[in-house]
Amino acid sequence: MTEQAVLQDARRYLAMLHKRRGIVLTCLGVSLAIAVLYNYTTRPVYRATTQILIDRDTPNVLPNKELVELVQGGMDYYQTQYQLLKGRSLAERAVERLKLQTHPELATGPMMNPWERVRGFFGRPPSAVVDLSGMPLSPAAAAFRSRIEVDPLPGSRLVNLHFRAYDPQVAADAVNALAQLYIEQSLELRYTTSTEATGWLSERLKEQEAKVEAAERALQQYREAEGLVNQEERQGLVEQKLEMLNGAVLDARTDRIAKESLYNQIASQGPGQIESFPLVLGSEPVQALKAELALLQREEARLADTLGDRHPDMVRVRAQVRSTEEKIRAEMRNVAAAAGSEYRTALAKEARLAATLEAVKREAQDTNRKGIEYSVRKREVETNRQLYQDLLTKTKQTGLETELKTTNIRVVEKAETPRGPVSPNRMRNYQVALILGLLVGIGLALGFEHMDNTFKTPEDVKEHLQVPFLGMVPDVSVKTAGTAARGPNASQVIKS
């Protein structure tokens, strides 16, 4: 589309609006008249605002974290708080505290928006005000609740609490009382929850105390039945004895093996070979007798050189030699017999120590079995006692929480008496009326122009009649002196 065509369309629309200017001005005037009527007949509404802070966590003044954690910190928690601010309970308590049951402010009923007013004007009553459970509210509470607005500030924990009223002082008092009642309701909820938790913990504490007493009695009865005085010390002594016996048995076995080997070697030697056996050679009596025999043999050799075989001295010395040799053989037999005796003694000692070790092992197993049973019962006592101590501590802490007056909700800014109304907004209403009047007027003008099917331009004649356009005939009026008479128009003259 060319610029010339755009200009031509604009001129055509301006011409149409100029032609239908009466409709546009009428719609604009009616719209402004309605706005003026609404602005000066509507009762002014004032709005007071209190800003409150809803923290995620309650101030923690106790050494441990609270047993009953009420604050979750999620979006569902904040949505719940917003609904509580607009709830039935707070509205009814605020009305009762401010004594607004018969106040003229709430006598007009719930504050309705323009759409509800239009529905009431056409005979359709507004919907009844109900709480979250669907139960109808009392008239005063319904009127009070309809004036509450909750406006959370995005990206923060601040919430603007608004209250609209026809009286500015009532608006300020109502919103401040509502914020205070909301804090008191939070404290009551915490107190109720802590009280219920304290009662529940007290019952569990009594049950746990009975469990501790029963476990302690069972442990004492088991200790008396098994004769346990100091199980830990007894078990330590048995383990020490077992360790000592293990060492003794090992030493006895080693000694028995050595003596058994020596005894077997002596037993395997012949009568003439025993003299050269190390044990025999190492025997002091045998060595002494052999030294004595050597002296006697030297004495016999010396006497044999000077005396005859039958000489009394030679007979005496030879008798002594034979006696000494017999003593040596007897002593060697004693050495062999002693080796056998030592072997049998070592064997008996090993057997005795092994038997004692087995008895101590059985005693250790019995002690371990009793120790395990004793440990199980003792651990049960300690566990129940620890649970009892934990419950006792939690009960005391919960009792302190019941007396604490801390909450996660605080008033940041109290509401002041509004200086001016928020409704009606006269300038905005005038602007809306001006825009709506112009839109409706222009729309009606364009609609009427579209429905007008008369010829307006020469091009319309050529397009619709399919005949050439010869010229335009003016509309002539005949005037006389003093009067003006309108004669037949030009088209009628031509036809006649």
Side-chain angles (χ1 to χ4, degrees), residues 425-486:
N425 190 337
R426 295 180 179 179
M427 185 56 65
R428 186 184 63 183
N429 292 339
Y430 289 145
Q431 293 172 355
V432 172
L434 180 62
I435 294 174
L436 290 178
L438 287 176
L439 291 177
V440 173
I442 292 173
L444 289 177
L446 294 178
F448 286 143
E449 188 68 21
H450 180 72
M451 290 186 293
D452 187 4
N453 58 2
T454 59
F455 295 153
K456 303 175 185 64
T457 62
E459 287 75 10
D460 293 341
V461 176
K462 292 179 181 180
E463 182 180 356
H464 294 286
L465 297 181
Q466 303 297 324
V467 295
F469 177 74
L470 300 178
M472 298 180 65
V473 179
D475 187 4
V476 180
S477 299
V478 181
K479 297 182 179 179
T480 59
T483 61
R486 184 178 180 87

Side-chain angles (χ1 to χ4, degrees), residues 84-237:
L84 289 176
L85 281 169
K86 297 185 293 185
R88 174 195 189 115
S89 176
L90 280 181
E92 291 180 347
R93 294 173 66 179
V95 169
E96 183 178 357
R97 174 169 294 188
L98 297 175
K99 297 180 174 55
L100 298 177
Q101 293 89 343
T102 58
H103 196 277
E105 174 65 35
L106 303 183
T108 57
M111 192 169 287
M112 296 183 295
N113 54 38
W115 172 245
E116 291 178 340
R117 292 183 181 180
V118 171
R119 293 177 61 187
F121 179 77
F122 286 101
R124 298 185 62 183
S127 58
V129 181
V130 297
D131 61 3
L132 297 177
S133 61
M135 298 179 61
L137 296 171
S138 63
F144 188 92
R145 189 166 178 261
S146 67
R147 289 162 166 76
I148 300 173
E149 295 179 8
V150 179
D151 181 22
L153 298 182
S156 69
R157 302 173 190 175
L158 297 174
V159 178
N160 287 332
L161 186 61
H162 308 293
F163 189 85
R164 295 176 298 156
Y166 300 120
D167 187 343
Q169 188 61 44
V170 171
D173 294 342
V175 74
N176 287 329
L178 186 64
Q180 185 61 33
L181 287 170
Y182 173 58
I183 295 176
E184 293 176 4
Q185 185 186 55
S186 176
L187 290 173
E188 290 175 2
L189 177 61
R190 188 174 300 277
Y191 173 81
T192 302
T193 307
S194 298
T195 303
E196 293 176 354
T198 303
W200 181 84
L201 284 173
S202 299
E203 295 178 359
R204 302 289 82 77
L205 188 63
K206 293 180 181 178
E207 295 178 0
Q208 192 62 34
E209 184 178 6
K211 290 182 180 179
V212 171
E213 294 177 355
E216 290 177 347
R217 283 196 300 269
L219 179 62
Q220 183 61 29
Q221 291 174 359
Y222 178 77
R223 186 183 298 168
E224 293 175 357
E226 298 295 338
L228 302 178
V229 179
N230 192 338
Q231 177 63 21
E232 290 80 4
E233 183 178 356
R234 179 181 179 184
Q235 190 169 1
L237 291 175

Side-chain angles (χ1 to χ4, degrees), residues 36-105:
V36 171
L37 181 64
Y38 177 79
N39 285 338
Y40 287 94
T41 58
T42 301
R43 190 175 179 182
V45 176
Y46 297 87
R47 186 177 73 174
T49 301
T50 292
Q51 191 173 78
I52 60 177
L53 173 66
I54 304 178
D55 279 331
R56 294 192 179 188
D57 298 321
T58 304
N60 191 12
V61 298
L62 293 176
N64 295 327
K65 196 170 182 63
E66 294 183 8
L67 177 66
V68 183
E69 186 64 34
L70 298 177
V71 180
Q72 299 298 328
M75 289 304 300
D76 54 346
Y77 167 75
Y78 286 103
Q79 292 298 327
T80 302
Q81 299 305 310
Y82 303 154
Q83 294 299 325
L84 289 176
L85 281 169
K86 297 185 293 185
R88 174 195 189 115
S89 176
L90 280 181
E92 291 180 347
R93 294 173 66 179
V95 169
E96 183 178 357
R97 174 169 294 188
L98 297 175
K99 297 180 174 55
L100 298 177
Q101 293 89 343
T102 58
H103 196 277
E105 174 65 35

